[in-house]
């Protein structure tokens, strides 16, 4: 039996890239879908593709996730059409300004926060209200590649700040949601080649920095990490088999099916904050 059979799901940014890959994986597993994004044409093309390939029930709704009212209307639309909402994937995002902070346009910097962080906040807030009443639900947030990892990339401070904030938000709100049977987790999808990669290349080495520019060129030419890594992880996090909450998981490196969920949920494993046994030590929860 398909692991998401009959489940009602929203995927923001679902018309292309990682969002579309997640929507495809959900459709293959029997989910009923609402794809949301700002571009109607991309949404309709994705809807036709997924409905034709999988026979899935796929609806679309043009939504700007940085607008709280539009996000509330999106969740209300899911309730109206499906009678419930089982899964929300907060995937819609933008890179923001590329270049040194001193040269960044403040409006573009703020816009990245509005889309990446506040879009996730608005979606989670609206979905959580509904899911609490159901006593069940899964919320999956996209944290961005490299967040929490050892390599820091300069000249994308708005993106990095917003995506790191998404992880801490995920962990914090998961504690509020857990008593109501709702799980909230975040995915680091890996170095997936998307329109964001093309934006870095278009910015050029002077704005993006030589190393970041060259790395993006290699990623484009070599293909990067496949978006299916993130989509497979999203299916697991959306499924009834998942017992994790408040965690940041790498689509490339983590195999959550083998994780001791009870132990992980009581510790800082798969979390953003630093636990090194020297400056910061883990104190087991009782």
């Amino acid at each position: 039996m398909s692991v998401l059979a009959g489940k009602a799901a929203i995927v923001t940014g679902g018309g292309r890239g990682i969002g579309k890959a997640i929507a495809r994986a959900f459709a293959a597993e029997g989910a009923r879908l609402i794809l949301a994004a700002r571009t109607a044409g991309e949404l309709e093309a994705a809807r036709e593709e997924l409905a034709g390939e999988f026979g899935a029930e796929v609806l679309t709704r043009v939504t700007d996730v940085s607008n709280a009212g539009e996000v509330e209307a999106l969740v209300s639309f899911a309730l109206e059409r499906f009678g419930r909402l089982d899964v929300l994937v907060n995937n819609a995002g933008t890179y923001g300004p590329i270049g040194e902070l001193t040269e960044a346009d403040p409006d573009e910097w703020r816009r990245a926060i509005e889309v990446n962080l506040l879009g996730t906040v608005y979606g989670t807030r609206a979905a959580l209200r509904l899911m609490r009443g159901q006593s069940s639900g899964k919320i999956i947030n996209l944290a961005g590649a490299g967040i929490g990892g050892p390599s820091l990339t300069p000249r994308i401070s708005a993106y990095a700040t917003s995506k790191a904030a998404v992880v801490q938000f995920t962990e914090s709100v998961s504690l509020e949601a857990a008593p109501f049977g709702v799980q909230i987790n975040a995915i680091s999808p890996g170095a997936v080649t998307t329109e964001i990669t093309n934006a870095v290349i278009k910015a050029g080495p002077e704005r993006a920095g030589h190393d970041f520019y060259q790395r993006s060129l290699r990623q484009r030419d070599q293909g990067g990490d496949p978006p299916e890594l993130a989509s497979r992880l999203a299916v697991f996090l959306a499924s009834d088999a998942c017992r994790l909450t408040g965690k940041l998981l790498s689509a490339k490196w983590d195999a959550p099916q083998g994780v001791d969920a009870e132990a992980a949920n009581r510790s800082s494993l798969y979390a953003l904050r630093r636990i090194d046994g020297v400056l910061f030590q883990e104190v087991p929860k009782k």
Side-chain angles (χ1 to χ4, degrees):
M1 181 178 178
S2 300
V3 299
L4 301 182
K7 291 189 181 294
I10 292 173
V11 180
T12 69
R16 61 185 177 184
I18 295 170
K20 184 178 176 182
I22 291 173
R24 172 181 292 278
F26 279 18
E29 292 293 343
R32 299 175 290 167
L33 290 166
I34 297 175
L35 308 182
R38 290 187 298 167
T39 306
E42 287 184 348
L43 288 175
E44 181 57 25
R47 186 200 68 78
E48 291 181 358
E49 181 180 332
L50 299 182
E53 184 172 352
F54 301 106
E57 183 177 359
V58 184
L59 306 176
T60 65
R61 188 174 180 93
V62 174
T63 305
D64 179 354
V65 298
S66 70
N67 183 308
E70 291 189 20
V71 176
E72 291 279 355
L74 172 64
V75 172
S76 295
F77 180 63
L79 180 60
E80 173 190 330
R81 299 304 296 266
F82 295 146
R84 59 184 296 110
L85 177 62
D86 299 295
V87 185
L88 168 67
V89 180
N90 286 309
N91 167 77
T94 182
Y95 226 20
I98 299 169
E100 294 185 5
L101 177 63
T102 53
E103 304 300 322
D105 184 326
D107 291 333
E108 291 183 15
W109 212 99
R110 183 181 65 250
R111 177 63 179 167
I113 299 297
E114 290 172 346
V115 174
N116 297 346
L117 175 58
L118 293 183
T120 298
V121 172
Y122 297 151
T124 301
R125 181 175 183 267
L128 189 53
R129 286 173 167 173
L130 179 55
M131 291 174 175
R132 281 168 53 134
Q134 299 171 172
S135 298
S136 67
K138 314 275 187 159
I139 298 174
I140 302 167
N141 299 325
L142 269 291
I147 300 301
S151 61
L152 298 176
T153 301
R155 304 191 185 213
I156 52 167
S157 58
Y159 176 82
T161 300
S162 63
K163 290 298 190 176
V166 164
V167 179
Q168 196 68 85
F169 170 76
T170 297
E171 187 171 356
S172 176
V173 180
S174 73
L175 299 176
E176 301 175 21
F180 299 93
V182 180
Q183 297 170 359
I184 307 178
N185 291 290
I187 291 176
S188 180
V192 179
T193 299
T194 66
E195 67 279 357
I196 289 177
T197 311
N198 296 328
V200 175
I201 295 171
K202 184 178 180 181
E206 290 189 2
R207 284 175 55 200
H210 179 269
D211 291 345
F212 189 25
Y213 176 76
Q214 290 297 325
R215 191 163 73 244
S216 297
L217 283 177
R218 288 193 299 272
Q219 179 181 323
R220 181 196 64 184
D221 295 342
Q222 296 171 6
D225 295 326
E228 288 74 23
L229 294 175
S231 66
R232 286 198 295 267
L233 178 54
V235 167
F236 171 76
L237 294 176
S239 73
D240 294 337
C242 180
R243 295 290 182 268
L244 295 167
T245 194
K247 298 304 175 184
L248 167 63
L249 298 162
S250 167
K252 186 173 182 178
W253 302 112
D254 293 331
Q257 294 89 335
V259 172
D260 182 336
E262 183 177 351
N265 287 339
R266 288 187 288 105
S267 75
S268 293
L269 291 169
Y270 305 101
L272 185 62
R273 64 184 178 275
R274 172 182 171 180
I275 300 295
D276 62 5
V278 179
L279 295 178
F280 298 87
Q281 297 185 23
E282 184 73 78
V283 178
K285 296 178 182 179
K286 297 182 179 179

